[in-house]
Protein backbone atom coordinates (compact mmCIF):
# COMPACT_ATOMS: atom_id res chain seq x y z
CA UNK A 1 0.00 0.00 0.00
CA UNK A 2 2.72 2.60 0.78
CA UNK A 3 4.30 1.94 -2.64
CA UNK A 4 0.99 2.66 -4.35
CA UNK A 5 0.75 5.97 -2.47
CA UNK A 6 4.28 6.93 -3.51
CA UNK A 7 3.55 6.07 -7.15
CA UNK A 8 0.32 8.10 -7.05
CA UNK A 9 2.08 11.10 -5.51
CA UNK A 10 4.88 10.93 -8.08
CA UNK A 11 2.33 10.76 -10.90
CA UNK A 12 0.53 13.81 -9.51
CA UNK A 13 3.80 15.73 -9.27
CA UNK A 14 4.66 14.86 -12.87
CA UNK A 15 1.24 15.98 -14.12
CA UNK A 16 1.50 19.21 -12.11
CA UNK A 17 4.95 19.82 -13.56
CA UNK A 18 3.64 19.33 -17.09
CA UNK A 19 0.73 21.68 -16.46
CA UNK A 20 3.06 24.46 -15.31
CA UNK A 21 5.60 23.97 -18.11
CA UNK A 22 3.84 26.53 -20.33
CA UNK A 23 4.16 29.15 -17.61
CA UNK A 24 7.96 28.88 -17.95
CA UNK A 25 7.82 30.55 -21.38
CA UNK A 26 6.74 34.19 -21.33
CA UNK A 27 6.52 36.71 -24.13
CA UNK A 28 6.58 40.46 -23.59
CA UNK A 29 6.64 43.65 -25.63
CA UNK A 30 4.88 42.25 -28.71
CA UNK A 31 4.66 44.87 -31.47
CA UNK A 32 4.71 45.58 -35.17
CA UNK A 33 5.03 48.72 -37.27
CA UNK A 34 2.22 50.14 -39.37
CA UNK A 35 2.84 49.45 -43.07
CA UNK A 36 2.25 51.64 -46.11
CA UNK A 37 -0.81 50.90 -48.27
CA UNK A 38 0.00 48.26 -50.87
CA UNK A 39 3.03 46.90 -49.00
CA UNK A 40 2.50 43.15 -48.59
CA UNK A 41 5.19 42.57 -45.94
CA UNK A 42 5.55 43.41 -42.28
CA UNK A 43 7.47 42.28 -39.21
CA UNK A 44 6.70 41.43 -35.58
CA UNK A 45 9.05 41.88 -32.63
CA UNK A 46 9.00 40.65 -29.00
CA UNK A 47 11.06 39.26 -26.13
CA UNK A 48 10.76 35.52 -25.47
CA UNK A 49 11.91 34.37 -22.03
CA UNK A 50 12.36 30.82 -20.74
CA UNK A 51 12.41 30.63 -16.94
CA UNK A 52 12.59 26.83 -17.03
CA UNK A 53 15.56 24.52 -16.67
CA UNK A 54 14.84 22.92 -20.03
CA UNK A 55 15.59 24.59 -23.34
CA UNK A 56 12.96 24.73 -26.08
CA UNK A 57 12.76 25.46 -29.80
CA UNK A 58 10.53 27.99 -31.54
CA UNK A 59 9.61 25.89 -34.59
CA UNK A 60 6.88 27.89 -36.28
CA UNK A 61 4.68 30.94 -36.34
CA UNK A 62 1.30 31.81 -37.86
CA UNK A 63 -1.26 34.61 -38.00
CA UNK A 64 -4.61 35.13 -39.67
CA UNK A 65 -3.24 38.47 -41.00
CA UNK A 66 -0.81 36.87 -43.47
CA UNK A 67 -0.84 33.62 -45.44
CA UNK A 68 2.85 33.18 -44.68
CA UNK A 69 4.80 33.99 -41.53
CA UNK A 70 8.43 32.98 -41.03
CA UNK A 71 11.18 33.32 -38.46
CA UNK A 72 13.92 35.56 -39.92
CA UNK A 73 17.19 37.07 -38.84
CA UNK A 74 19.08 40.03 -40.29
CA UNK A 75 22.75 39.24 -40.82
CA UNK A 76 25.56 41.73 -41.52
CA UNK A 77 28.24 40.53 -43.96
CA UNK A 78 30.89 42.70 -45.55
CA UNK A 79 29.02 45.90 -44.82
CA UNK A 80 25.79 44.57 -46.28
CA UNK A 81 22.77 43.31 -44.40
CA UNK A 82 20.42 40.60 -45.56
CA UNK A 83 17.55 38.63 -44.11
CA UNK A 84 17.71 34.87 -43.81
CA UNK A 85 14.94 32.45 -42.95
CA UNK A 86 15.67 30.49 -39.77
CA UNK A 87 13.37 27.43 -39.57
CA UNK A 88 13.77 27.25 -35.80
CA UNK A 89 15.10 29.38 -32.99
CA UNK A 90 16.68 27.87 -29.88
CA UNK A 91 15.24 29.21 -26.63
CA UNK A 92 17.86 28.44 -23.97
CA UNK A 93 16.99 27.21 -20.50
CA UNK A 94 16.83 30.13 -18.07
CA UNK A 95 17.49 32.48 -20.99
CA UNK A 96 15.86 34.76 -23.50
CA UNK A 97 15.69 35.51 -27.19
CA UNK A 98 15.01 39.04 -28.37
CA UNK A 99 13.24 39.73 -31.66
CA UNK A 100 14.05 43.35 -32.60
CA UNK A 101 14.61 45.61 -35.61
CA UNK A 102 17.91 44.75 -37.27
CA UNK A 103 17.96 41.27 -35.70
CA UNK A 104 15.56 38.38 -35.27
CA UNK A 105 11.96 39.01 -36.30
CA UNK A 106 8.82 37.33 -37.55
CA UNK A 107 8.35 38.19 -41.22
CA UNK A 108 4.75 38.50 -42.41
CA UNK A 109 4.39 37.88 -46.15
CA UNK A 110 1.37 38.30 -48.38
CA UNK A 111 -0.48 40.88 -46.28
CA UNK A 112 -3.76 41.64 -48.06
CA UNK A 113 -4.35 44.73 -45.91
CA UNK A 114 -1.91 47.22 -44.45
CA UNK A 115 -1.10 47.01 -40.75
CA UNK A 116 -2.72 50.12 -39.32
CA UNK A 117 -1.41 52.05 -36.34
CA UNK A 118 -3.50 51.40 -33.22
CA UNK A 119 -4.90 48.05 -34.32
CA UNK A 120 -4.07 44.63 -32.85
CA UNK A 121 -3.93 41.13 -34.32
CA UNK A 122 -3.12 37.61 -33.15
CA UNK A 123 0.12 35.76 -33.71
CA UNK A 124 0.74 32.17 -32.62
CA UNK A 125 4.20 30.88 -31.76
CA UNK A 126 4.70 27.12 -31.95
CA UNK A 127 7.19 25.82 -29.38
CA UNK A 128 8.53 22.28 -29.67
CA UNK A 129 8.02 21.35 -25.99
CA UNK A 130 5.64 23.98 -24.66
CA UNK A 131 3.21 23.96 -27.59
CA UNK A 132 1.40 26.95 -29.06
CA UNK A 133 1.40 30.40 -27.46
CA UNK A 134 -1.04 32.96 -28.90
CA UNK A 135 -0.06 36.62 -28.58
CA UNK A 136 -1.72 39.95 -29.25
CA UNK A 137 0.40 42.17 -31.50
CA UNK A 138 0.11 45.95 -31.05
CA UNK A 139 0.62 47.92 -34.27
CA UNK A 140 2.69 51.04 -33.58
CA UNK A 141 3.62 54.01 -35.80
CA UNK A 142 5.81 53.24 -38.84
CA UNK A 143 8.75 55.00 -37.13
CA UNK A 144 8.58 52.92 -33.92
CA UNK A 145 11.80 51.29 -32.73
CA UNK A 146 10.41 49.40 -29.74
CA UNK A 147 7.29 48.37 -27.85
CA UNK A 148 7.46 51.54 -25.73
CA UNK A 149 7.33 53.95 -28.71
Amino acid sequence: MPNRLVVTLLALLMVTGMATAKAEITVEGVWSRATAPGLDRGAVYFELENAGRRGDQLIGVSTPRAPRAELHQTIEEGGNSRMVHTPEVRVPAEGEVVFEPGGRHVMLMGLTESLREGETFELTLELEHNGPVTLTVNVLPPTAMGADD
Side-chain angles (χ1 to χ4, degrees):
M1 188 73 165
N3 285 342
R4 180 178 272 174
L5 179 60
V6 170
V7 169
T8 302
L9 286 173
L10 285 174
L12 283 171
L13 286 172
M14 285 176 50
V15 169
T16 303
M18 286 180 200
T20 60
K22 277 193 182 221
E24 294 176 341
I25 300 287
T26 57
V27 185
E28 294 186 8
V30 186
W31 66 283
S32 182
R33 289 185 182 118
T35 58
L39 186 63
D40 71 343
R41 295 179 188 255
V44 178
Y45 311 101
F46 50 88
E47 294 176 19
L48 183 62
E49 190 170 325
N50 182 0
R53 293 185 190 172
R54 177 183 188 185
D56 207 337
Q57 296 274 352
L58 179 54
I59 56 174
V61 61
S62 63
T63 178
R65 284 304 300 269
R68 209 164 107 206
E70 294 180 351
L71 301 167
H72 278 211
Q73 183 171 5
T74 304
I75 295 178
E76 295 281 333
E77 288 181 340
N80 296 315
S81 62
R82 63 184 177 94
M83 284 188 292
V84 293
H85 174 242
T86 53
E88 56 191 39
V89 175
R90 185 177 160 285
V91 185
E94 300 176 347
E96 69 178 14
V97 179
V98 177
F99 286 69
E100 62 189 349
R104 291 193 181 280
H105 56 279
V106 172
M107 193 76 200
L108 307 177
M109 293 171 279
L111 293 169
T112 56
E113 289 183 33
S114 301
L115 300 177
R116 293 177 307 280
E117 182 179 342
E119 76 172 321
T120 61
F121 64 93
E122 287 190 349
L123 179 80
T124 301
L125 305 179
E126 185 65 40
L127 293 153
E128 186 173 45
H129 300 295
N130 285 286
V133 177
T134 300
L135 315 169
T136 299
V137 180
N138 296 307
V139 181
L140 303 180
T143 56
M145 290 303 292
D148 297 329
D149 288 353

